[in-house]
Amino acid sequence: MKSGFKLSLVSLLAISLTACGNNGDDGNGNSSSPSSSDQPPASSAAPKEMKLTIGLPGAYDVTKKEIIDGFIAKFPNIKTEIVEVPWADFATKITAEIAGGTAPDVWVQENAIVLGYGIRGVAEDLAPYIKKDLNDADYISGLYASKTPDGKVYGIPHGINPVALAYNKKMFADAGVTPPTDDWTYADMIEAAKKLTKDTNGDGKPDQYGFAISQGITQGWYPWTRSYGGQVLDDTKTKAMFTDPKSIEGIQAWSNLVKDGISPDADFLKVAGGDWKAFGAGKVAMYFMQYSNQTIINKEFADLDYDTVMMPKSMDGKRIVPIVTNSWVIFSKAKQASKDAAWEFLKYYLSAESQMVLAKSGTSIPVQKNAITELDVNTNPKNKKAFSDGIAEGGVTTDENPSWQEWRLAAQPIFADIYGQKLSPEEGAKQIQQKVQDILDQNR
Amino acid sequence: MRREARWGYILTLPFTVHLLVFFAFPFFFSLYLTFTQWDMFNAPAWIGGKNWVRLLDDRSFWSSLRNILLFALVFVPLQTILALVLAFFLNQSIRAKSFYRVIYFLPVVTPWLAGGTMWGWMMNKTYGLANYLLGLLSLPPVDWLDSKHWVLPITSVALVNVWKGVGSSMIILLAAIQGVPKDLYEASSLEGASRWSMFWHIVFPIVSPMIFLVLILSTISAFQAFDVFLVMFNAPNIVPDSKVTPNILIYKDAFLTTKMGYASAMSWALFIVIMAVTLVQKRFEKRWVHYG
């Protein structure tokens, strides 16, 4: 009796512990054993009566419902389940789900994170799928934003979000300053910004600024560093380059805008509600605008008369246009049939039909060439070519690699101190160099 | 007896299982993780003491310990003294006593998001109320939260934390003070004791076990500070070393960059520090805490 009781106790404990662990099955019958990402898909045709789970961070604010509905209508044999999660909570949720083997079959996330998933065996290598089913000539190079140096492709762009120079037409006209053109250099932009910075109420402090610099990477220190001839990481993405003299020169130019009072400081922008709101409210004449910002600016500042030109040219005449991509990723540990269904969805997403919907939405630029010609030029900014041509001429990711998230988080607070004039660019660059290089070395 | 014991085991089994699965297992598993590299997606890889060696050389971690030590040094004594004084006066026969008790307790039930945002604006260098008041006194503005000297932002946050936490400590101490027999006050009053003498020679010794409890709890919560920094510095994942705390670093490594092994090592290091500080407090307990 006593031994029977002990056995029951041990069994109960074992059951409890097993329930908490990963038993190799996601509870839906999906095996969690990794399928070889080197194997091409068995078939690109959607299998009959397939199940597909699509993870949608930000729900239909981020991904157009029209596209999802179109897919469901077109593929009735694929039983599609949509998992909507607020964007801010998604990273935490998906991490736990991946660890537990219960992640959706396909979901969208920041491209840099997707690259990290790739080296950890979480993201399916889509190179064989692309090779089999897509025609490269139909797409811009941004299709391969998730491509690694060894040729693997871990994601399909949800859309491309490039940066262009946005300017307030009225403020330029009022100040009698010639509006920017695609031929502007950084020096031209700074010169105009000086003329547009004004103390309109005579209290000794500017209340209208020529340009708002961003503290962040994409619209802030990355394009400035690169455009002054410097680098953030080297071409292999394994060496930090912040202490390169040209990099420091770029960081210096970036922080000087605040130091010289041409760009507002952090407090001013905080009160204004951010750079795009300061721009919308006519407190700032220019800023580096991400393509997706247009929807919210047009919504909140419907009367704002503004447009865009391409990013200014660098010192050497080249153009640096940072692009941000969110990417669709297929869970490598899903069943092959689910992966095939997920790829069917991605093919539909990349089709002309869906890419046109994306083009008209204004949230990001599609990667399909025909769809790019359909960008809405009737709403501000009317010069959408500033973005699309910008990608073609100088589109670069912000040196994304699998440890991007980590090194960016390490560098950002030091850049914030340089921006706030608490640290000199030289000293700051030294600190960033050490921190970022340590992270790159740890992740080798 | 054996039959009774068996029933005892059966009835306590759910709690035992709960304890083992949700407390004992994570506790020991996290210790094991300190010797591994684990990205949460693949099996942990044993790397020996590398995480601990890295910890010794991690400037951010040592800065976070320095910050949290100052935070505790400002927050714990200030909150405890203030809570004790408030509890003592709110135990007197004063008008609108309940009203004051509610007012002082209100910050405890105010969400950090609301309270922290409000304080963040009040301490803003350019537009804040604090500097406006200093300006009225012809004093220069202070960069409360963004000063490059780490002492100032950490002290500012500690003060805000006192505002948030003093109410709960006050309630514990008020309950203790209310347990002081009234005849002791009457007797000392007849002997001509001042209010200060009553407090120091009667109230303080009797409530000293509760003060000790408040000190221990406040110290532990100070070393684990997270949400106050989360709200006051806006972006917890990108705070500089001058404002970082161990829990922010642990959160960043565990959940933003999924380096669970190193995050576990930092958690255990923090645990050791808290345990050491608590033992030091315990060592001095007999010198001033009176039981019975």
Side-chain angles (χ1 to χ4, degrees):
Chain A
M1 185 62 193
K2 192 178 176 183
S3 61
F5 172 69
K6 279 184 180 170
L7 190 65
S8 306
L9 184 66
V10 170
S11 304
L12 195 59
L13 274 174
I15 290 165
S16 308
L17 288 169
T18 309
C20 293
N22 177 8
N23 62 1
D25 190 287
D26 68 6
N28 294 324
N30 292 345
S31 165
S32 66
S33 60
S35 62
S36 167
S37 57
D38 294 326
Q39 287 175 358
S43 165
S44 65
K48 283 182 182 173
E49 293 306 315
M50 287 300 307
K51 276 177 78 175
L52 173 66
T53 312
I54 302 176
L56 285 190
Y60 297 116
D61 290 339
V62 175
T63 304
K64 297 305 290 177
K65 190 168 190 303
E66 209 176 329
I67 297 176
I68 302 291
D69 289 346
F71 173 75
I72 292 170
K74 197 164 184 176
F75 294 90
N77 59 318
I78 299 178
K79 297 234 172 296
T80 306
E81 186 193 342
I82 307 298
V83 182
E84 295 179 42
V85 183
W87 185 270
D89 298 336
F90 189 74
T92 312
K93 182 176 161 69
I94 197 74
T95 303
E97 286 184 343
I98 293 168
T102 59
D105 301 314
V106 60
W107 72 90
V108 62
Q109 212 166 351
E110 292 93 334
N111 190 53
I113 293 176
V114 168
L115 290 172
Y117 287 159
I119 58 161
R120 292 184 213 157
V122 171
E124 179 82 348
D125 174 20
L126 301 176
Y129 297 77
I130 293 171
K131 193 177 173 189
K132 187 170 183 296
D133 288 334
L134 300 182
N135 180 8
D136 267 356
D138 293 342
Y139 302 93
I140 61 169
S141 60
L143 175 69
Y144 291 102
S146 306
K147 191 171 182 177
T148 62
D150 60 355
K152 290 187 167 129
V153 181
Y154 290 119
I156 291 292
H158 184 274
I160 308 278
N161 228 321
V163 180
L165 174 64
Y167 65 99
N168 183 317
K169 288 182 179 177
K170 186 173 180 300
M171 287 172 79
F172 270 78
D174 289 350
V177 179
T178 313
T181 67
D182 287 341
D183 291 326
W184 262 24
T185 63
Y186 273 73
D188 294 329
M189 185 180 75
I190 293 168
E191 210 46 50
K194 281 179 188 167
K195 291 176 191 164
L196 288 155
T197 300
K198 287 177 182 173
D199 171 16
T200 56
N201 59 8
D203 66 352
K205 285 188 290 185
D207 34 53
Q208 173 187 307
Y209 291 90
F211 186 85
I213 63 163
S214 162
Q215 287 191 51
I217 179 170
T218 311
Q219 294 151 274
W221 47 268
Y222 186 87
W224 284 85
T225 307
R226 291 290 311 274
S227 297
Y228 276 73
Q231 280 183 291
V232 168
L233 302 188
D234 72 346
D235 294 339
T236 65
K237 308 277 188 279
T238 57
K239 197 175 165 206
M241 302 292 286
F242 295 93
T243 44
D244 180 278
K246 287 192 178 299
S247 301
I248 293 175
E249 201 183 324
I251 298 169
Q252 178 93 57
W254 169 75
S255 71
N256 275 354
L257 259 68
V258 176
K259 190 178 166 191
D260 298 341
I262 301 165
S263 173
D265 62 12
D267 281 347
F268 183 95
L269 289 176
K270 196 176 174 185
V271 170
D275 52 6
W276 67 271
K277 275 196 172 175
F279 177 73
K283 291 175 180 169
V284 162
M286 292 182 283
Y287 89 113
F288 287 160
M289 174 181 151
Q290 272 198 335
Y291 184 77
S292 59
N293 279 164
Q294 61 172 317
T295 50
I296 195 158
I297 288 180
N298 293 345
K299 189 178 165 192
E300 296 214 8
F301 302 97
D303 298 330
L304 182 70
D305 190 13
Y306 75 103
D307 210 339
T308 46
V309 292
M310 278 199 272
M311 288 287 279
K313 286 180 181 171
S314 340
M315 299 301 115
D316 60 0
K318 287 182 187 166
R319 209 184 298 274
I320 297 293
V321 180
I323 59 170
V324 174
T325 315
N326 291 320
S327 294
W328 291 104
V329 52
I330 294 181
F331 190 31
S332 65
K333 295 178 184 180
K335 278 181 173 177
Q336 186 59 47
S338 296
K339 291 184 201 174
D340 290 341
W343 176 243
E344 207 59 54
F345 168 71
L346 293 186
K347 277 201 297 178
Y348 177 78
Y349 191 85
L350 289 170
S351 69
E353 186 182 345
S354 304
Q355 295 280 292
M356 293 290 182
V357 174
L358 182 62
K360 283 173 184 158
S361 73
T363 54
S364 56
I365 290 187
V367 289
Q368 211 237 16
K369 284 178 181 170
N370 287 342
I372 291 179
T373 61
E374 296 297 316
L375 296 177
D376 182 4
V377 292
N378 296 316
T379 57
N380 281 334
K382 294 190 173 65
N383 183 25
K384 298 285 194 299
K385 276 180 174 286
F387 296 98
S388 54
D389 288 358
I391 298 174
E393 194 179 322
V396 288
T397 70
T398 49
D399 284 350
E400 288 173 347
N401 66 359
S403 59
W404 181 88
Q405 172 84 331
E406 202 178 340
W407 65 256
R408 183 187 66 89
L409 289 176
Q412 189 56 53
I414 307 173
F415 271 113
D417 277 352
I418 299 172
Y419 175 98
Q421 312 298 310
K422 295 184 178 79
L423 210 52
S424 72
E426 291 83 5
E427 178 54 30
K430 236 187 264 177
Q431 291 184 19
I432 296 166
Q433 175 74 21
Q434 192 188 341
K435 285 207 167 203
V436 172
Q437 192 58 55
D438 282 352
I439 289 165
L440 294 172
D441 291 344
Q442 283 160 21
N443 283 281
R444 247 179 217 186
Chain B
M1 182 61 193
R2 280 174 63 193
R3 190 181 166 82
E4 277 178 18
R6 193 184 310 146
W7 274 108
Y9 283 127
I10 290 170
L11 291 171
T12 55
L13 189 61
F15 304 102
T16 311
V17 170
H18 182 262
L19 183 79
L20 289 174
V21 173
F22 293 107
F23 291 91
F25 172 72
F27 185 80
F28 291 109
F29 186 61
S30 69
L31 180 61
Y32 160 71
L33 286 179
T34 66
F35 300 102
T36 68
Q37 189 176 338
W38 189 37
D39 63 6
M40 289 174 75
F41 304 153
N42 298 289
W46 182 266
I47 54 166
K50 278 185 185 170
N51 284 330
W52 289 97
V53 172
R54 187 184 150 199
L55 199 61
L56 293 174
D57 199 31
D58 187 342
R59 213 172 137 179
S60 295
F61 182 71
W62 289 106
S63 296
S64 74
L65 279 184
R66 175 203 67 187
N67 295 345
I68 212 66
L69 192 66
L70 173 68
F71 179 80
L73 282 172
V74 176
F75 165 69
V76 176
L78 201 60
Q79 176 180 267
T80 310
I81 292 167
L82 204 58
L84 189 59
V85 171
L86 285 173
F88 180 71
F89 282 107
L90 290 179
N91 192 45
Q92 310 297 311
S93 305
I94 55 168
R95 273 181 149 191
K97 196 159 56 178
S98 300
F99 172 75
Y100 286 118
R101 285 177 185 174
V102 169
I103 290 292
Y104 288 120
F105 195 74
L106 215 51
V108 178
V109 292
T110 304
W112 255 127
L113 199 60
T117 306
M118 181 192 74
W119 277 101
W121 276 113
M122 290 207 294
M123 290 178 157
N124 183 283
K125 187 186 175 188
T126 317
Y127 304 98
L129 181 66
N131 281 345
Y132 173 74
L133 295 174
L134 288 180
L136 293 179
L137 301 169
S138 303
L139 292 169
V142 176
D143 202 353
W144 301 98
L145 297 173
D146 275 329
S147 169
K148 60 181 173 185
H149 305 292
W150 64 278
V151 172
L152 191 53
I154 299 295
T155 307
S156 301
V157 175
L159 293 176
V160 175
N161 211 43
V162 170
W163 166 83
K164 183 84 168 77
V166 74
S168 56
S169 297
M170 180 196 76
I171 290 292
I172 294 173
L173 296 175
L174 184 60
I177 290 173
Q178 283 173 341
V180 178
K182 281 189 179 165
D183 51 356
L184 288 179
Y185 290 117
E186 287 164 8
S188 60
S189 182
L190 285 172
E191 295 290 334
S194 65
R195 192 165 279 191
W196 168 251
S197 291
M198 281 187 206
F199 173 77
W200 190 243
H201 297 292
I202 297 172
V203 176
F204 187 81
I206 292 176
V207 301
S208 60
M210 279 300 171
I211 298 173
F212 182 66
L213 174 76
V214 166
L215 275 178
I216 295 280
L217 293 178
S218 306
T219 306
I220 293 172
S221 79
F223 276 91
Q224 293 180 338
F226 180 66
D227 40 10
V228 57
F229 286 84
L230 194 90
V231 176
M232 296 296 288
F233 295 134
N234 291 325
N237 50 349
I238 53 165
V239 290
D241 287 355
S242 60
K243 298 176 187 175
V244 85
T245 71
N247 265 355
I248 287 177
L249 289 178
I250 291 165
Y251 168 79
K252 195 161 78 172
D253 267 33
F255 301 111
L256 295 179
T257 56
T258 58
K259 294 190 178 299
M260 205 49 98
Y262 191 59
S264 298
M266 283 194 285
S267 302
W268 269 85
L270 181 62
F271 169 72
I272 291 165
V273 169
I274 293 175
M275 184 61 92
V277 172
T278 307
L279 288 175
V280 169
Q281 286 176 311
K282 184 81 182 147
R283 191 170 172 78
F284 287 100
E285 180 191 7
K286 281 181 186 167
R287 294 195 185 181
W288 63 277
V289 180
H290 303 270
Y291 292 99

